[in-house]
Every structure is written in C-alpha cells, then in structure tokens.
Amino acid sequence: MSLPVAGKRSPDPDALADAAADGFERVELYLERGHLDAFDETLAACRRATVDVASVHTPHVAPDEAAYFRRADDFADALDAFLVVHSTRTNLVAIPEILDGTDFAAPFGFENSTGHSEFHVRKAILDAGHDLVLDTAHLYTAEREYLDSLARLLDEYGDRIPVVHCCDGRRVRDGLAFGDGTMDMRAVVATLRERLDDALVVLEVPTDRQAAALDRYESLVAASRK
C-alpha cells in the first residue's frame, strides 16, 4: 500500500502555498517561537491553506522555555494534527520531567535525535511507553548497520511509529536531499513500504529540494513494488 507523504514547511502563507505548488497535499509544520507567540494569526494562516497540516513539530527550545511545548500541543490539537515532540536543545528523556508529565491533548510521539542508537531509542522512548517519530537519517548517524536497525524497529514497533522523517544523510550530517548523502535511499524506502501499514512519511529535505524529493520518493516506491 502507499503511505501518505508530507512536505516540511513553516506555517507562513507563502511557504504553505509553495508546498501545494510542489505537489504536496499535506505538510508537517516546523514551528518557531514567533509562530506560537502569534498563535491566532498563525493558526488562521494554516486554516486558509490549501494543504492539510498532518503533523506539527515543536520548536527547538531549551528546558526553561518548556511552555512552548505546551503551546505547540495546543496548536496541533486545534488543527487535529499529530504532535512531534523534539528539540535539539533538550534531551528527550528529560522532557516528561520538564513538563511534569506528558498529558498532551494532541496525539504525539517523541522523535529520535541525531546520534541516538537503536538501544537508546528503545529505552528512552519505546520502553517508556511513548510512540516514536522515527527519523531515518538520525538513525543512520548512530548505527553502522542502520538498515537492520530500521527493519527491527519497524517489525517490532510498527504500530507505534505513526510518523517517519525520511531524507538522505551522511554519518555526521542529516537532513539532506535525496542523492546528496551516503544512505541507500532505495533500500530505506523499500523497507518503509514493506513494513509499515499506516504511517505518515515526511520528506524532511531542504525546502527548495522538496518537489524533487517527492518525485524521487514516488519513483522509489514504484521500483520497490516490482
């Protein structure tokens, strides 16, 4: 079956219009503090957009700014979207303590960070009872046999992986356009298609390369069916 695919955009009106022009029907939003400070204005822009907001990524904030996690939850809940909980400035295992629990209103999952091993992902997220937003390039930075790790996580926890971030990467850099890294993207896409029944695949590549990434992703999905 074909998994739903989303682009990655800011909630600015022009960015959302560009996502539609690039061929996307849905997007994951990356939020910054200013977007949530102007909550009503940002929400109105998203509701006017011709693309659906499928998921919302929390801002990358430090522990003393944890209120932005709650605001992002309110934003995702208002749009009936999934909340991706992640920050490069906060260790994910500390987030429940920082927030005094994880009673988010929106459905949510924790994203694995750059360099987090399969063991860490299991212990810090899955064994703690949380859903996982699986970033394939982040996993690549941590696991030499990343395809084996990816397959194991999908086989064992596929029903608890509602969102996947898909992009190319190198051992010390993620978030690259398809073909700009050293990952076997054909194998990655085939592994996702073969092992996931229902998950959102977010093409987390640079904005100006997302249209090309959508074309490449669709061609890799078609090739994996042969």
Side-chain angles (χ1 to χ4, degrees):
M1 69 181 293
S2 296
L3 300 171
V5 181
K8 189 73 176 273
R9 287 296 198 279
S10 79
D12 301 306
D14 289 346
L16 296 172
D18 287 344
D22 284 345
F24 291 100
E25 297 179 1
R26 57 190 70 83
V27 296
E28 178 175 293
L29 299 180
Y30 63 85
L31 296 176
E32 298 179 357
R33 297 169 185 80
H35 297 131
L36 292 173
D37 290 338
F39 190 102
D40 291 340
E41 180 181 348
T42 306
L43 184 61
C46 291
R47 286 176 168 162
R48 289 193 301 268
T50 58
V51 290
D52 293 329
V53 176
S55 52
V56 172
H57 193 296
T58 59
H60 292 286
V61 295
D64 61 355
E65 300 173 295
Y68 282 104
F69 287 113
R70 294 297 186 194
R71 291 190 196 178
D73 175 43
D74 291 340
F75 198 86
D77 186 46
L79 291 172
D80 195 23
F82 188 87
L83 179 67
V84 178
V85 184
H86 181 237
S87 174
T88 58
R89 301 187 62 198
T90 304
N91 190 318
L92 65 89
V93 299
I95 289 174
E97 180 179 348
I98 292 168
L99 295 177
D100 191 24
T102 49
D103 54 336
F104 292 117
F108 71 96
F110 287 95
E111 180 183 351
N112 58 305
S113 293
T114 303
H116 279 178
S117 67
E118 178 187 346
F119 176 85
H120 188 94
V121 170
R122 288 173 180 268
K123 294 299 182 183
I125 301 176
L126 294 162
D127 287 355
H130 302 301
D131 283 351
L132 169 66
V133 176
L134 180 55
D135 190 301
T136 56
H138 289 175
L139 188 65
Y140 180 64
T141 65
E143 296 288 353
R144 182 173 296 279
E145 302 301 329
Y146 69 101
L147 290 172
D148 292 338
S149 291
L150 177 62
R152 279 193 297 270
L153 289 169
L154 296 178
D155 285 343
E156 295 181 40
Y157 300 101
D159 61 341
R160 293 175 56 196
I161 301 175
V163 177
V164 174
H165 288 172
C166 186
C167 61
D168 207 342
R170 302 181 190 136
R171 290 298 182 184
V172 294
R173 185 179 178 189
D174 55 63
L176 300 179
F178 285 40
D180 285 0
T182 52
M183 295 175 65
D184 185 344
M185 296 309 300
R186 179 182 294 271
V188 168
V189 171
T191 300
L192 296 177
R193 194 192 72 79
E194 291 166 1
R195 288 174 163 81
L196 284 176
D197 294 324
D198 184 21
L200 176 71
V201 177
V202 179
L203 302 184
E204 200 173 43
V205 306
T207 302
D208 61 351
R209 304 288 295 278
Q210 288 193 17
L214 179 59
D215 289 342
R216 180 58 175 156
Y217 175 83
E218 291 176 341
S219 70
L220 292 175
V221 169
S224 71
R225 293 196 178 107
K226 297 179 180 178

